[in-house]
Amino acid sequence: MVKISAHIGKTNYITEIKGSHTIIADEPTEKGGGNQGMNPGELLASSLASCSLITMQMYAQRKAWDLAAAHVEISYEHDMKENTATMIKHITLTGNLDDAQRQRLKYFAGKCPVHRILEKAVNIESFLTDAV
């Protein structure tokens, strides 16, 4: 099980997120934030991009394929009225790969754990706890 904790204080929107590492999330200055980190939508898209890349690299390594580098760009739009989101993933692969290998790597980018979670409904349970 993955556990993440996040804390926000009085400074607008700057959020400290702790897991195995610590990162900062924030909003841009035009939305009242301090622009100290990626906003939550960017963090979500970055999770998809990094998971896709890691999964492709793991697969290429297992097959001993010449994947020299890979790049993923995620375009992300959230329709607040409809409460829907669209993510478009552009994958660029570098290396001595034939078309079948490239297609297989694209396929496995869509099988990464984050991609699979985002394709399905996520159950979220919320509980209030007392401050310590």
Side-chain angles (χ1 to χ4, degrees):
M1 175 181 278
V2 174
K3 284 196 174 190
I4 299 295
S5 67
H7 175 80
I8 195 167
K10 290 192 177 223
T11 304
N12 272 3
Y13 311 137
I14 296 176
T15 305
E16 182 181 78
I17 303 165
K18 290 186 178 186
S20 58
H21 298 278
T22 300
I23 61 172
I24 300 296
D26 198 0
E27 288 289 341
T29 53
E30 61 270 12
K31 289 190 174 182
N35 201 34
Q36 298 296 308
M38 286 191 266
N39 69 45
E42 290 172 322
L43 290 170
L44 182 63
S46 68
S47 293
L48 177 59
S50 60
C51 187
S52 298
L53 288 165
I54 291 167
T55 301
M56 287 187 295
Q57 188 177 59
M58 285 177 172
Y59 188 78
Q61 286 174 344
R62 264 187 298 223
K63 295 291 191 177
W65 291 351
D66 182 26
L67 176 62
H71 176 84
V72 168
E73 185 174 296
I74 305 291
S75 301
Y76 170 65
E77 286 189 272
H78 180 203
D79 184 330
M80 299 290 271
K81 288 182 183 176
E82 296 295 321
N83 199 29
T84 59
T86 301
M87 290 187 171
I88 300 170
K89 186 189 310 184
H90 290 272
I91 302 167
T92 305
L93 303 172
T94 306
N96 187 18
L97 301 165
D98 63 31
D99 191 54
Q101 290 170 323
R102 295 170 56 77
Q103 291 301 318
R104 196 75 177 148
L105 289 170
K106 176 184 172 269
Y107 170 81
F108 274 96
K111 296 299 179 187
C112 81
V114 172
H115 189 121
R116 294 175 74 174
I117 289 168
L118 291 173
E119 286 183 317
K120 306 287 182 196
V122 177
N123 296 317
I124 301 172
E125 297 179 25
S126 297
F127 302 91
L128 285 174
T129 57
D130 294 327
V132 182

